[in-house]
Amino acid sequence: MSVDLSQFHQVFFEESHEGLDIMESALLNIDVSNIDSETINEIFRAAHSIKGGSGTFGFNEIADFTHVVETLLDLIRSDQFVMQPDNVDLFLKSVDCIRTMINELEGGSTCDTEQANVLKQQFEVLLDGGFSGEPEQSDASETKVSAKDETGGNGWQIYFKPDIDILRTGNEPLRMFRELAELGELSVSAVTDEIPALGELDPEACYTAWNLTLWGDADESQVKEIFEWVVDESELTITPLSLGADRHAQTESPQEVSLEEPQVQDLTSNAAPQNLVSQNLVSKNVVPQAPKPERPKAEKKAGDAKKESKPESVSIRVGTDKIDNLINMVGELVITQSMLGEIGSDFTVENLPKLMAGLEQLSQHTRELQESVMSIRMLPISFAFSRFPRLVHDMSQNLSKKVELILQGENTELDKTVMERISDPLVHLVRNSLDHGIESPEQRLAAGKDEMGQITLSAFHQGGNIVIQIIDDGAGLNKDRILTKAIEKGLVSDSDHLSDEQIYDLIFRAGFSTAEAVTDISGRGVGMDVVRRNIQELSGSVEVESTPGSGSVFTIRLPLTLAILDGQLIRVGQNVYILPLISIIESIQSYDQAIHRVSGGCDILRLRDEYVPIVRLWEIFNVKPDSKKVEDGLLVVVECENIKVAILIDDLQAQQQVVIKSLNDNYTTVEGLSGATILGDGTVSLILDIGGLIKLAGVSKEQYKKVEHTDDSEAA
Amino acid sequence: MNTEEDGAIDPLNASIAEIKSGEASEQYLTFFMGKEEFGVDILSVQEIRGWEPVTPIPNSPEHVLGVMNLRGTVAPIIDLRMSFGIEERRYTEKTVVIVLTIPTEKKSKIIGVVVDAVSDVCSFTKSEIQPSPELTQTDQAQYVKGLGSTEDKMVILLQLTECLMAAPKGRDKQRQLKAG
């Protein structure tokens, strides 16, 4: 029965990531002084399913490690172990560790168990300490734990009494024994004491227990793995055969090797050296400091692994309610279709109102269907927000700041692709607020503020956009320092008169960083410009507002989805193009007085008190317009990256929603175009990319500013 | 020209030859451009369709005519005659577009190529395909996989690549000059 399990790997990885997220957020919510059993249960269940899954797929490194984590959780759950604040950190570290291992597996490489072993050692110290310190342990769990991780001598004595329902749950003891037999020489004797009389016998129940003796040098973990699925419901005792002790004494060499491996430190074998025992006693309930130097390395590794194998998630989980809704709508659609078909099959003019009504219904259903199909791609933004409690927790400790994170509007829905691509910029902004925004507790107290800083992440819908705000109540942006820095870096000249808004905007420029010391967290000078670029790639925008002394607000605006766009159809000669409606500010009929001809061939439109360069679409696209004269056409004023340009076109046509198709899929990217779409008549129309057009037309921001400036001086 | 009888015998002969030579033959869709007959691997052909007006792409090389809606997929249409320097003809309703999948590094692309007329499906065994003679350094040489010869004709077998969509070296400059 060889089933190719690898086809389920992806599902396992996804589920494990989900499980880890659950563990992480639950761990962050734990109040150590008052442990909520439900939270512990939640963490336990997540750990348990990761263990089960990894065992099934043969990822033993993960299964082994998770097992230790689970054991301690189990003890906490059953109040046999009192959780300390240190333990939460240990658990968090192990969540990281498991995540790293899963990422490594996902990337196709093998797990690095180095960090796992270090952590495992700490867990085992805790487990041991827990027992020696609390003598009122029940016997059952003591045997369970003390028997754990013993190396097999030359065999195992196993007593296995399965749950009475074992056969009903689909587990077959016979198969397990067969697997055991593969590990060595196996002798089985059944304990049939509990089998009732034939009349009372339930044919589906299992009344038998077994005594098994396994000869051979199998590890205990191998033996345990076989019983993995049933161990929780069964009585299972695994003891090494008594001969073992002698053999340990004789074969010194494996013993020594195993000493260097930290994971077998808690050998209960009597051959274990004294110093180990004493170390355990000393370090009981204390987290050893051993992993300290290890951590940065491990973290770096995790980062690397992430970069290498950032997997594009290929599947999406959809709530059944959404699917049901969809099916309902398709049903409605089918009904409307058959109704229309009936009208069409023998059509008379009297039926016209009926036909119109039917078509109306059809269009409504299509719209609804479109909306609900789009909603399938929508996920609550809490998916992106969920990593921040941990990030803020770790970072505030790191920076010794006190920060409270408030999440708002976590249920705001956002397209999955947008979500995936927004989380990195978000992380950067939150880090930035923490590092630069929030002051140290002393500074805060001195400024008369609460010692505890506040960062608010809030998301809400506004129009066709989703707005995400990162609000901190820190010191706010330092206007003078930004300006000095920008002048120093040659981004602006000191003769420029910039508004506050323009100064704040400078932080998004490439090569700009005001951090006096480059910290681990931010201040490398790459960052804000990358943030802005990433957001603009999603056709969104980012802005900053700031009040000195009371904090700053970063506002990100994103389209709800990348797949559909509200478009304005425009015409130049024979060609119909689509402008994203969102970037259009206004359309005007050009008239002579408003147009200034500047030497160098650049025409400027005076729009109230602004001067806007005119971009002739026919010129950049090399197509034949109706008329080359500016006066004959229409000017559409559009904005991108705070640059406004007026695009000269021949005519405005309809507005409609268009589905974006990539040009890159079958062709290449074309400058000035962001994609293509198919219009109602089946022809392809090209979607204009304002940023690209501006670049093509050669209007750079500096020029734009200068033009504005010279005009100002002219006007003066 | 083949009579109907010949048509029935040919495939038989071909399969016998195949069995004799002990190697699998490859099938090619052949088409005419100018006076030459060309062939492409039939497995890469998606469909053959008539000419429809396309949406031109601004600032694209001259031989990239534009993009077309192929049942929801936006695919570029390339005039193969132009990229092979063969005398152009008018685009009429009889002009043929062969829709091909072209493997690239990541995933395959779908493009349409405009040719004069589709001719036939021919099988060539490996021994019937000769390596192309060392052509001069033209852009077109990279697409020629070999020459397939049957008794009565010779077919230039093409292996089209992504590069087809890029601007040919010499011509691009001309075009830029023209545009400038």
Side-chain angles (χ1 to χ4, degrees), chain A residues 525-667:
Chain A
V526 289
M528 293 311 255
D529 59 319
V530 179
V531 168
R532 172 165 274 188
R533 205 167 55 232
N534 286 348
I535 292 171
Q536 275 167 354
E537 272 168 23
L538 296 168
S539 37
S541 67
V542 56
E543 279 158 28
V544 58
E545 291 161 45
S546 180
T547 321
S550 54
S552 26
V553 180
F554 287 86
T555 308
I556 302 173
R557 267 166 231 279
L558 291 167
L560 278 182
T561 172
L562 294 180
I564 288 195
L565 175 117
D566 275 313
Q568 166 72 57
L569 273 62
I570 58 165
R571 187 179 60 83
V572 179
Q574 298 282 307
N575 305 282
V576 175
Y577 300 106
I578 290 161
L579 267 175
L581 206 55
I582 200 162
S583 57
I584 299 180
I585 298 171
E586 63 185 306
S587 309
I588 53 167
Q589 187 89 49
S590 55
Y591 53 96
D592 210 26
Q593 291 88 333
I595 293 157
H596 296 242
R597 296 204 160 76
V598 179
S599 57
C602 181
D603 288 359
I604 305 280
L605 167 78
R606 191 169 71 198
L607 184 68
R608 289 175 284 279
D609 54 352
E610 259 184 300
Y611 292 88
V612 181
I614 294 174
V615 173
R616 292 177 180 80
L617 202 56
W618 60 266
E619 201 174 69
I620 358 183
F621 276 180
N622 212 358
V623 293
K624 197 169 173 294
D626 287 355
S627 161
K628 292 191 177 181
K629 283 193 201 144
V630 177
E631 293 76 28
D632 295 338
L634 287 172
L635 287 169
V636 182
V637 182
V638 293
E639 183 174 15
C640 177
E641 296 179 41
N642 293 327
I643 304 183
K644 277 186 194 155
V645 292
I647 297 178
L648 175 67
I649 57 164
D650 283 337
D651 201 5
L652 281 172
Q653 293 184 336
Q655 287 179 4
Q656 70 176 72
Q657 285 204 324
V658 296
V659 179
I660 302 172
K661 308 255 177 186
S662 157
L663 271 178
N664 196 23
D665 273 359
N666 291 316
Y667 187 55

Side-chain angles (χ1 to χ4, degrees), chain B residues 2-49:
Chain B
N2 285 352
T3 63
E4 272 180 38
E5 275 174 47
D6 284 338
I9 293 166
D10 272 347
L12 266 179
N13 283 338
S15 57
I16 291 167
E18 190 183 313
I19 294 161
K20 271 187 187 163
S21 61
E23 55 183 356
S25 66
E26 292 170 20
Q27 286 197 306
Y28 288 85
L29 175 80
T30 68
F31 51 88
F32 281 104
M33 292 197 293
K35 284 174 188 138
E36 301 290 340
E37 192 168 3
F38 293 84
V40 285
D41 186 353
I42 199 151
L43 294 177
S44 71
V45 178
Q46 287 239 316
E47 64 177 306
I48 300 164
R49 53 188 292 152

Side-chain angles (χ1 to χ4, degrees), chain B:
Chain B
M1 285 289 117
N2 285 352
T3 63
E4 272 180 38
E5 275 174 47
D6 284 338
I9 293 166
D10 272 347
L12 266 179
N13 283 338
S15 57
I16 291 167
E18 190 183 313
I19 294 161
K20 271 187 187 163
S21 61
E23 55 183 356
S25 66
E26 292 170 20
Q27 286 197 306
Y28 288 85
L29 175 80
T30 68
F31 51 88
F32 281 104
M33 292 197 293
K35 284 174 188 138
E36 301 290 340
E37 192 168 3
F38 293 84
V40 285
D41 186 353
I42 199 151
L43 294 177
S44 71
V45 178
Q46 287 239 316
E47 64 177 306
I48 300 164
R49 53 188 292 152
W51 166 257
E52 284 167 39
V54 294
T55 306
I57 301 172
N59 301 328
S60 60
E62 206 177 351
H63 65 281
V64 179
L65 299 175
V67 283
M68 194 187 252
N69 168 19
L70 297 174
R71 283 188 297 278
T73 307
V74 174
I77 307 295
I78 287 158
D79 195 327
L80 206 57
R81 301 171 298 188
M82 240 187 259
S83 41
F84 276 73
I86 293 163
E87 192 191 336
E88 269 176 65
R89 295 204 183 180
R90 292 268 162 150
Y91 299 107
T92 64
E93 277 167 22
K94 284 182 184 157
T95 310
V96 177
V97 178
I98 304 175
V99 181
L100 298 167
T101 45
I102 288 181
T104 64
E105 275 167 31
K106 281 177 211 149
K107 54 178 196 174
S108 54
K109 296 191 170 186
I110 295 174
I111 65 163
V113 294
V114 177
V115 299
D116 283 343
V118 173
S119 153
D120 201 356
V121 176
C122 294
S123 296
F124 293 109
T125 58
K126 287 239 167 67
S127 59
E128 281 168 343
I129 301 175
Q130 294 158 13
S132 57
E134 280 297 320
L135 295 174
T136 46
Q137 294 154 324
T138 56
D139 283 331
Q140 296 80 24
Q142 59 175 315
Y143 307 121
V144 178
K145 190 162 87 175
L147 299 172
S149 49
T150 58
E151 281 161 21
D152 53 347
K153 62 184 175 189
M154 193 188 73
V155 178
I156 304 167
L157 303 178
L158 300 178
Q159 177 79 60
L160 298 178
T161 64
E162 223 183 328
C163 306
L164 198 61
M165 286 185 269
K169 285 164 210 155
R171 206 172 291 183
D172 192 41
K173 274 183 194 151
Q174 275 175 18
R175 194 186 154 77
Q176 275 180 358
L177 284 176
K178 212 165 69 184

Side-chain angles (χ1 to χ4, degrees), chain A residues 204-311:
Chain A
E204 285 183 7
C206 175
Y207 300 100
T208 327
W210 287 274
N211 271 314
L212 301 116
T213 318
L214 178 69
W215 299 90
D217 22 302
D219 283 340
E220 191 190 5
S221 58
Q222 282 175 294
V223 178
K224 278 195 145 182
E225 195 185 322
I226 292 169
F227 293 101
E228 188 157 27
W229 287 102
V230 292
V231 70
D232 292 341
E233 289 87 33
S234 320
E235 223 176 276
L236 180 69
T237 336
I238 303 174
T239 36
L241 287 175
S242 49
L243 241 103
D246 290 342
R247 281 181 63 120
H248 273 292
Q250 283 163 11
T251 54
E252 291 257 307
S253 49
Q255 189 70 41
E256 270 167 30
V257 172
S258 60
L259 274 181
E260 281 157 29
E261 297 277 345
Q263 77 264 43
V264 282
Q265 231 183 37
D266 65 337
L267 286 171
T268 50
S269 147
N270 43 9
Q274 285 296 312
N275 60 345
L276 255 185
V277 174
S278 57
Q279 189 195 321
N280 280 358
L281 284 173
V282 171
S283 58
K284 102 181 160 191
N285 275 342
V286 179
V287 181
Q289 63 275 72
K292 266 277 159 83
E294 296 279 335
R295 196 159 157 77
K297 190 183 158 199
E299 256 179 354
K300 198 176 153 229
K301 233 179 230 164
D304 287 353
K306 225 179 183 174
K307 254 178 229 155
E308 281 164 24
S309 63
K310 195 175 178 184

